Amino acid sequence: MAIHQNFHWDRISELFEQAIEKPAGEWKQWLQMECNEEEKTAGLDHYLLKLLKSTPRSDAFFESLNRNIEDHFKSSSEQCHYKPGDQFGKFRIEKKLGDGGMAWVYLCERTDGQFDQKVALKIMKLQGKQEFLKEKFRQEQQILAGVNHPNIARLFDGGITEKGYPFIVMEYVEGISIDQYCKVNKLNIRQRTKLFLQVCDALQYAHNKLIVHHDIKPANILVDEMGHVKLLDFGIAQLLFDQQEDTQEQSFFSGTLQYASPEQFVGGKPSIASDVFKAGMVLFYLFTETNFNFRDAQGLGSLNKKLSSGLFSHGYVGGIRKSLLVADLKAIFQNSLTEDPAQRYLSVSAMSQDLQNMLDNQPVKIKSAGWVYHAKKFYLRNQGKIWLSTTLNALIVVAMVFFFIQYNKTLREQKRSENILAYVWDIFNAVDPEVTQGDTITVFDLLEKSIPRIKSLYNEPELQAELYHQTGKIYTRLGFWHKGKELYLEALASNALLPKNNRNLRLKAFILSDLAEYYRNTTEVQLADSVIDKSLHIFESNKMANHHEYYAQSLSLKARILTDRALYHESIAYSEKALTVINSFTSLPHIEKLRAKTNIASAFHYLSEYDQAISWVLDAIDISNDLGPEINSTKLRALGLYSKLLSATGKPEEALAIDHEIYQIKLAVYGENKPITLLALSNMASKYFRLQEYAKSDSLNLIALAFYMKLFGENHSWTATTIYNLGNSAYYQGNFDQALPYLLKALELDIKTLGNRHPFLANTYQTLGLVHSGRNEWAEAEAHILHAIDILHEHFGEKHVQLSNAYGHLANLYCKLSKYALCKQYFEKAIALSDEIRGADHQVSLNLRERYEGYKQILAAY
Amino acid sequence: METSSRGNFTSEELTKYLAEYSNGNKSALDKLYPIVYAELRKGAHYLRQQFINMDTFNTTAIVHEAYLKLMHTSSSDVKSRSHFFYIASMAMRQMLINASMRKRTLKRGENPKKIDLHDIENNLELSETTAEDLLLLNDALKKLEMQDERQAKIVECRFFGGMSIEETALALNISPATVKRSWSLAKAWLYVEINEQ
């Protein structure tokens, strides 16, 4: 019989609530004192004591009941149909590793004898709409497979099982979750922070590739016995998240609810900002062993209390004063755990910089001023889009300058500025250089102010080198190539003062590579070549195996330079080497593969080996499709090349169709008056030209020319090409007088930029020859065409399509000059070559024959 | 295309009812409760059909899921959200008790057939001990209701709904400190009560 029914509830309540605040040892005494005689007789004090004493057990009871309910919810899902011993593709299932809410996980061993490999096989508990799922999965998987970072568990393979469940095969990581690891090994603050910094590193890497994790939580961060962090399940959530977007259903929450960011609760999409939030939550957990609940109004106010005493019990915590530490941590948490995404760190690397600074006893970054806030918001809204507006440029750079000016010259501040630059650089990272030209007067002015500042303030060579390099890249990105180059040279000068360790050499190799690219852009090809060689030398002699991507990139740059120098076979060799390097590093689609293949195709194109070229370019286009919807300049280059090849192999309409497509893409992505968009127009112009739509062709070329002249002046290959096109077009329309000045100008410019033996000149000489022909200036005509042939011979020997053209033109010329023996000789040469290269059925071959037939009657006499 | 458990109500209307309920109009509860209840029952449907990483496969998650599903983004007002959660807590309690009753009536050792994959309530296979514990808890809770209704509501929120201290405070219009103290007492009281049986 429950005697407590006699007691007044309020009284029970009152006593309990007061007593519970007191230490357990005092309860009995205190109750004795508090209760009056009547209550004591009735046994109230005993009853209360019973209640108080039961608190640990009652807590346990409720907790365990809660867990049981959880388990029951969990198990009301289906059973998996695989078990140990089963074969799954080329893997054999060894044992079940776990049964999480979203997937069954198995440990598997590779059985095809290739090599020993242990992997984790995750089969998702999700049966979705088959076709949609397959396609989405495939796309995502390609992107994710390109993620290669020591702190991220590799994704090897993925697909759909026969029963329709998506699965992935990933690196097997033996370790425990990060929070357990910290606990078990009793790590202090410094150690925990360092561990967490590995996590940040991984996250930033993926964010740079615009991959969001979606589901960051301690359980997804493992640490192996060597203290090495591995992030699991990267972007997997994204895969399945996207599936929902397609349906009418709106509630589609991906990731773990417990670790959701505030904006996700109101239907927001996961983003880099939400990853930042979740990273903050993990950090919070590592330091306090409680979960941060953003819905609790006190939030970070009670941080002092929350920091668990074990970690923070000393005044100096691993060399950091506790009071400072707490202040710093608070700032870091404020910048990551806020409800408004725009108030957070813009990137994970910003957060890790602050953490690093905290460890080094540096002041942590202050909260942003108003206009930076707006800049961030703007960026967040447009994240992922590959363009940058003037406003954003200006704001970001102002932010940069502001920080430079604000801080004074201590070593610590130098580090911070560098970090800011890196941070700003992250933003520029996605942007294609051709985009921003012409748009950035304000930015330029601001940058100008900051460079002298760097010079005067920062004296450490190491920092200077890095700083100059970064700033140089920013200038280059903005299209100020010359400025960029100056800074690269400064960077190299600073770098030269440093000890020759791997890190500094690596930096040197990167700078040299960028410098080579500059020279290439300004068509100083010889210089570009020698500089890239230096860069490659460093890569090769220092075995920088971890930087495969950069090595491959440099190899590809070398290949392009060789193409510029018309050394096409050597170029192909380098591209093939780049492919080998990249293939040894991943077997999945990768942008460097795209680049290398496009370069090879381009070289074959110049060699007029069209079949080879087409085969390689289609290969390249395939890869570019596998890389996902992101548009980049290499992808567009491949398409452009394909269009040229179609044109060269007698399919002008198809070529034009592709050109239109390219133009539309560029227009959409980059906007109207950008060089890169105009280049598309130029290419279309030449296609129209082939289709004999001269008016269209000319007007497009004139637009392009005006722009190029303004931007590059005349000493640039694009300008020269456009002038040539106009001249060529005028020729075809029979306007020889108009054509001549254009062509002469084009020739002059080409010689200036390419030297006078470059194969491109052959074309110009030929056309000039034709124009002179049209003006009945025979001697000049002959001279020019012979000159063209001479150049072609030098580079290509006997076999090149342009030679065939040249022979044909020469033949015509000789006929007009009544030099019939020569005429016949050259016709035959022209036809033979055309048959060989183009095929006897090609329109041009047929035309040549026809013309020859026409002349034969006259020639019969000879 | 499955029918929405919103019945014939749009989420704007639901928001309205929720607002009314928040303002003290108890009759709005009559409209809301069945909808919320039905939504919770469908929890299993989402848990498998949609991707939710349910390593924490618990009442909080299901309740939040129901909220997202029914209310979309139309109500980010913390207070009315808390009220929603409170309604869901009541519904969750009912659902678990129903499942427990079902278990009790089944013969020992017999496995219940899965009737409807889209119904958490029917699918929930509680163990005997859990079911019994829940029923005992329910009885004790009823007794608590008679002593102190607010106390019992706190239990519903905290235990059945998995609500945080803040949310509970908002839903019931009391201070978080009160919630905290009351929750401790309630647990102790219920535990003692259960063990007296």
Side-chain angles (χ1 to χ4, degrees):
Chain A
M1 218 274 291
I3 50 176
H4 57 275
Q5 286 173 342
N6 296 332
F7 302 130
H8 212 243
W9 177 260
D10 287 338
R11 184 68 178 143
I12 296 176
S13 205
E14 188 191 342
L15 287 169
F16 183 90
E17 286 169 11
Q18 286 185 49
I20 197 79
E21 302 284 331
K22 303 192 185 320
E26 295 176 21
W27 287 336
K28 193 165 182 176
Q29 260 187 303
W30 184 83
L31 284 166
Q32 292 274 328
M33 280 198 308
E34 284 293 311
C35 294
N36 59 39
E37 286 310 315
E38 204 189 310
E39 291 172 331
K40 279 198 259 205
T41 329
L44 181 60
D45 54 335
H46 279 125
Y47 177 66
L48 248 315
L49 197 58
K50 186 152 84 170
L51 279 181
L52 286 160
K53 281 197 168 146
S54 77
T55 39
R57 276 170 293 146
S58 62
D59 283 342
F61 169 76
F62 278 95
E63 234 168 273
S64 105
L65 189 56
N66 197 26
R67 260 204 310 276
N68 286 341
I69 295 175
E70 259 189 60
D71 286 342
H72 289 304
F73 278 141
K74 216 192 274 196
S75 68
S76 57
S77 50
E78 308 148 60
Q79 292 307 304
C80 180
H81 34 272
Y82 292 100
K83 55 190 191 300
D86 284 350
Q87 189 73 18
F88 190 95
K90 58 179 178 231
F91 297 101
R92 186 184 58 241
I93 295 180
E94 300 285 307
K95 64 173 178 170
K96 194 172 197 179
L97 288 172
D99 182 348
M102 72 154 175
W104 301 284
V105 192
Y106 299 95
L107 174 63
C108 297
E109 182 81 50
R110 194 166 173 153
T111 52
D112 65 351
Q114 287 270 323
F115 41 93
D116 279 337
Q117 192 178 43
K118 276 196 157 57
V119 298
L121 168 67
K122 269 197 159 182
I123 304 180
M124 311 292 182
K125 293 180 186 175
L126 173 68
Q127 266 175 318
K129 294 132 206 168
Q130 283 276 22
E131 280 321 301
F132 181 81
L133 189 66
K134 275 191 180 128
E135 189 46 38
K136 263 285 151 172
F137 200 86
R138 197 182 69 92
Q139 280 176 15
E140 285 293 341
Q141 184 220 312
Q142 302 292 26
I143 295 176
L144 294 176
V147 168
N148 189 36
H149 190 278
N151 296 120
I152 300 180
R154 285 293 305 279
L155 185 70
F156 294 126
D157 199 1
I160 317 273
T161 68
E162 320 94 47
K163 301 229 174 109
Y165 291 91
F167 71 89
I168 52 170
V169 179
M170 50 187 259
E171 184 185 339
Y172 172 60
V173 180
E174 252 185 295
I176 51 178
S177 69
I178 192 173
D179 56 317
Q180 275 187 299
Y181 184 84
C182 290
K183 213 171 184 166
V184 160
N185 291 304
K186 300 192 189 354
L187 297 186
N188 66 28
I189 298 278
R190 183 173 285 274
Q191 291 162 322
R192 286 177 196 227
T193 308
K194 284 201 137 96
L195 213 55
F196 184 75
L197 285 172
Q198 286 186 51
V199 176
C200 290
D201 206 18
L203 277 175
Q204 186 56 48
Y205 170 86
H207 287 173
N208 286 345
K209 292 185 186 261
L210 300 182
I211 297 173
V212 173
H213 188 288
H214 270 245
D215 194 16
I216 300 165
K217 55 181 179 179
N220 271 341
I221 306 173
L222 296 188
V223 187
D224 67 19
E225 53 189 10
M226 296 191 292
H228 203 69
V229 164
K230 286 260 186 209
L231 250 59
L232 300 181
D233 289 354
F234 229 104
I236 307 300
Q238 166 107 32
L239 266 164
L240 300 149
F241 168 81
D242 280 344
Q243 194 210 8
Q244 306 317 317
E245 299 251 287
D246 209 53
T247 68
Q248 297 301 330
E249 316 268 282
Q250 269 214 35
S251 168
F252 39 96
F253 183 73
S254 80
T256 309
L257 215 43
Q258 191 183 4
Y259 286 88
S261 56
E263 63 271 17
Q264 285 177 283
F265 267 95
V266 291
K269 267 183 86 159
S271 62
I272 286 176
S274 59
D275 267 3
V276 168
F277 184 90
K278 290 177 199 186
M281 278 190 81
V282 172
L283 187 66
F284 191 86
Y285 192 81
L286 288 184
F287 282 167
T288 65
E289 285 166 6
T290 60
N291 276 320
F292 177 74
N293 190 338
F294 67 87
R295 295 188 293 275
D296 282 333
Q298 327 148 291
L300 296 162
S302 55
L303 189 67
N304 278 334
K305 275 195 234 141
K306 290 204 173 113
L307 295 176
S308 47
S309 51
L311 288 173
F312 288 79
S313 52
H314 311 296
Y316 282 80
V317 185
I320 316 169
R321 291 221 64 190
K322 181 172 176 182
S323 52
L324 286 180
L325 181 69
V326 170
D328 279 352
L329 272 178
K330 227 172 170 176
I332 292 175
F333 286 130
Q334 263 165 356
N335 282 340
S336 53
L337 293 173
T338 45
E339 213 166 312
D340 181 3
Q343 300 249 6
R344 297 175 202 156
Y345 289 112
L346 204 55
S347 68
V348 172
S349 63
M351 181 159 88
S352 54
Q353 289 305 346
D354 273 357
L355 282 167
Q356 189 62 53
N357 287 338
M358 179 184 87
L359 288 184
D360 297 340
N361 267 326
Q362 306 320 316
V364 159
K365 161 160 95 170
I366 53 171
K367 230 161 174 221
S368 323
W371 32 263
V372 177
Y373 173 84
H374 286 296
K376 277 190 191 177
K377 268 220 135 132
F378 183 88
Y379 175 66
L380 280 171
R381 277 205 296 277
N382 297 294
Q383 201 173 67
K385 278 208 206 135
I386 315 168
W387 59 276
L388 213 54
S389 81
T390 319
T391 327
L392 180 62
N393 273 339
L395 285 174
I396 294 300
V397 177
V398 165
M400 197 172 93
V401 172
F402 172 86
F403 280 120
F404 275 143
I405 295 171
Q406 285 289 334
Y407 295 116
N408 44 38
K409 10 177 169 179
T410 59
L411 180 58
R412 298 144 189 205
E413 308 309 346
Q414 288 170 351
K415 270 214 159 92
R416 177 115 33 111
S417 321
E418 185 194 13
N419 305 334
I420 290 167
L421 260 181
Y423 160 78
V424 171
W425 170 242
D426 281 343
I427 296 180
F428 284 99
N429 232 344
V431 178
D432 200 279
E434 288 133 316
V435 175
T436 51
Q437 285 162 357
D439 229 354
T440 52
I441 319 269
T442 329
V443 177
F444 187 83
D445 288 340
L446 291 165
L447 278 174
E448 285 288 86
K449 287 205 186 85
S450 58
I451 297 308
R453 193 105 193 138
I454 301 179
K455 282 196 178 129
S456 66
L457 288 184
Y458 309 120
N459 293 315
E460 267 66 15
E462 179 171 331
L463 287 170
Q464 281 209 320
E466 190 70 66
L467 221 48
Y468 280 128
H469 182 213
Q470 298 284 4
T471 320
K473 280 182 109 151
I474 293 180
Y475 270 108
T476 308
R477 281 287 183 212
L478 294 174
F480 299 110
W481 296 338
H482 304 295
K483 243 0 221 223
K485 167 209 176 186
E486 277 171 30
L487 289 166
Y488 290 149
L489 292 176
E490 298 266 15
L492 283 170
S494 298
N495 181 274
L497 300 172
L498 298 169
K500 305 267 174 288
N501 58 38
N502 269 346
R503 195 181 110 94
N504 297 329
L505 280 171
R506 202 188 310 150
L507 179 61
K508 184 172 176 184
F510 296 160
I511 302 174
L512 285 170
S513 203
D514 286 335
L515 188 60
E517 196 164 1
Y518 161 78
Y519 284 128
R520 188 181 170 263
N521 283 334
T522 53
T523 60
E524 292 174 83
V525 175
Q526 296 289 359
L527 262 172
D529 205 0
S530 62
V531 172
I532 194 68
D533 279 341
K534 287 197 193 134
S535 176
L536 288 172
H537 180 70
I538 296 180
F539 278 116
E540 276 148 17
S541 58
N542 287 287
K543 303 190 180 60
M544 293 196 278
N546 288 336
H547 295 270
H548 279 161
E549 284 180 276
Y550 295 122
Y551 182 39
Q553 210 176 80
S554 300
L555 286 168
S556 287
L557 179 57
K558 170 81 179 171
R560 282 199 87 176
I561 291 171
L562 285 168
T563 302
D564 290 343
R565 292 184 56 195
L567 295 169
Y568 303 119
H569 292 289
E570 284 92 330
S571 169
I572 291 173
Y574 269 95
S575 295
E576 286 177 335
K577 192 165 182 193
L579 270 176
T580 311
V581 169
I582 277 288
N583 278 327
S584 73
F585 151 107
T586 175
S587 61
L588 291 154
H590 192 286
I591 191 172
E592 290 305 327
K593 293 190 194 178
L594 167 62
R595 213 167 256 151
K597 291 191 180 190
T598 309
N599 289 339
I600 293 177
S602 168
F604 276 126
H605 167 244
Y606 284 120
L607 287 169
S608 74
E609 293 188 33
Y610 297 131
D611 289 329
Q612 287 264 44
I614 289 182
S615 145
W616 280 98
V617 86
L618 286 176
D619 217 355
I621 292 176
D622 264 341
I623 296 182
S624 78
N625 289 332
D626 285 338
L627 284 175
E630 175 190 314
I631 305 289
N632 59 56
S633 55
T634 312
K635 202 169 174 179
L636 286 170
R637 220 181 106 215
L639 277 172
L641 182 58
Y642 185 43
S643 154
K644 275 195 209 146
L645 287 165
L646 282 170
S647 197
T649 51
K651 301 184 180 145
E653 282 100 353
E654 289 164 44
L656 194 59
I658 296 207
D659 276 349
H660 268 291
E661 202 186 302
I662 296 175
Y663 178 66
Q664 292 304 327
I665 294 174
K666 285 183 174 179
L667 199 59
V669 174
Y670 299 116
E672 279 187 59
N673 290 322
K674 299 292 188 296
I676 194 171
T677 317
L678 285 157
L679 195 60
L681 282 180
S682 294
N683 288 335
M684 282 205 299
S686 55
K687 301 304 185 315
Y688 276 122
F689 171 79
R690 293 226 188 200
L691 291 171
Q692 296 172 343
E693 299 216 43
Y694 299 124
K696 280 191 187 153
S697 168
D698 284 343
S699 59
L700 289 175
N701 270 325
L702 284 168
I703 294 172
L705 182 62
F707 202 85
Y708 294 149
M709 283 295 284
K710 185 170 148 206
L711 207 59
F712 301 124
E714 46 176 50
N715 291 331
H716 193 279
S717 53
W718 290 2
T719 314
T721 310
T722 317
I723 293 176
Y724 170 81
N725 287 341
L726 283 164
N728 199 24
S729 169
Y731 163 73
Y732 270 90
Q733 295 172 64
N735 296 331
F736 304 127
D737 295 329
Q738 202 178 60
L740 194 60
Y742 274 129
L743 289 167
L744 286 172
K745 187 73 188 178
L747 189 64
E748 180 198 318
L749 294 175
D750 274 340
I751 292 178
K752 240 194 219 168
T753 54
L754 301 169
N756 56 15
R757 300 300 292 177
H758 195 282
F760 287 173
L761 292 174
N763 210 22
T764 319
Y765 278 119
Q766 260 199 78
T767 317
L768 256 175
L770 291 170
V771 167
H772 282 300
S773 239
R775 289 158 55 103
N776 298 335
E777 291 161 354
W778 309 120
E780 287 91 336
E782 185 184 1
H784 283 311
I785 297 182
L786 283 172
H787 199 157
I789 291 176
D790 193 34
I791 293 180
L792 289 168
H793 274 151
E794 183 185 316
H795 287 278
F796 304 114
E798 266 304 320
K799 196 172 168 196
H800 197 281
V801 73
Q802 281 192 47
L803 266 174
S804 162
N805 295 339
Y807 291 148
H809 294 141
L810 209 50
N812 282 338
L813 184 61
Y814 285 134
C815 267
K816 298 224 174 89
L817 292 175
S818 309
K819 290 187 181 167
Y820 295 123
L822 280 170
C823 172
K824 177 175 178 180
Q825 181 191 2
Y826 276 105
F827 256 125
E828 282 166 1
K829 267 179 127 165
I831 292 172
L833 199 51
S834 184
D835 283 351
E836 195 188 329
I837 296 178
R838 296 190 181 100
D841 299 327
H842 194 284
Q843 192 60 44
V844 176
S845 308
L846 295 171
N847 286 343
L848 273 171
R849 281 206 161 76
E850 218 183 286
R851 266 192 297 151
Y852 190 31
E853 289 305 306
Y855 281 105
K856 258 189 184 154
Q857 291 155 9
I858 310 172
L859 295 171
Y862 290 80
Chain B
M1 170 74 174
E2 51 144 317
T3 50
S4 165
S5 63
R6 278 191 241 124
N8 293 322
F9 299 120
T10 62
S11 72
E12 285 77 35
E13 285 171 303
L14 286 180
T15 315
K16 205 182 66 174
Y17 290 131
L18 190 58
E20 280 174 30
Y21 175 69
S22 294
N23 289 330
N25 179 356
K26 300 291 177 213
S27 67
L29 185 61
D30 295 335
K31 295 212 170 64
L32 283 170
Y33 187 80
I35 294 168
V36 174
Y37 189 87
E39 196 59 38
L40 285 182
R41 285 180 70 157
K42 283 163 68 199
H45 174 66
Y46 303 128
L47 301 178
R48 254 178 290 120
Q49 291 289 306
Q50 303 190 20
F51 177 62
I52 301 173
N53 187 339
M54 296 290 270
D55 277 350
T56 40
F57 221 85
N58 59 14
T59 52
T60 315
I62 298 178
V63 164
H64 280 271
E65 174 62 13
Y67 177 77
L68 285 173
K69 179 64 183 170
L70 287 176
M71 306 305 289
H72 298 245
T73 58
S74 47
S75 171
S76 55
D77 169 52
V78 177
K79 191 153 197 247
S80 51
R81 203 159 73 205
S82 301
H83 280 124
F84 179 95
F85 291 155
Y86 170 57
I87 299 172
S89 310
M90 293 194 281
M92 181 64 81
R93 174 184 174 186
Q94 185 175 347
M95 202 167 81
L96 284 168
I97 300 308
N98 287 349
S100 303
M101 298 281 249
R102 226 180 57 243
K103 179 71 184 179
R104 196 186 247 182
T105 60
L106 281 174
K107 291 208 180 78
R108 187 184 278 256
E110 185 187 299
N111 281 329
K113 293 203 189 66
K114 283 203 207 321
I115 304 166
D116 179 1
L117 288 178
H118 303 310
D119 188 339
I120 255 193
E121 192 181 288
N122 283 331
N123 243 358
L124 207 52
E125 294 166 43
L126 298 173
S127 68
E128 240 182 276
T129 26
T130 311
E132 283 305 315
D133 279 345
L134 279 170
L135 290 168
L136 284 172
L137 175 61
N138 197 40
D139 290 338
L141 198 55
K142 284 193 203 151
K143 292 204 181 104
L144 183 58
E145 269 163 358
M146 295 199 290
Q147 297 279 357
D148 183 347
E149 206 183 317
R150 198 181 69 186
Q151 200 80 303
K153 284 193 182 153
I154 291 176
V155 175
E156 273 181 325
C157 286
R158 294 284 286 148
F159 182 75
F160 288 107
M163 291 163 71
S164 72
I165 291 180
E166 271 286 325
E167 287 165 343
T168 310
L170 280 170
L172 303 177
N173 219 12
I174 49 184
S175 79
T178 313
V179 172
K180 211 168 164 198
R181 287 193 304 261
S182 302
W183 178 225
S184 302
L185 172 57
K187 278 192 281 188
W189 191 93
L190 287 166
Y191 180 73
V192 167
E193 184 63 32
I194 288 170
N195 285 314
E196 302 278 291
Q197 302 303 332

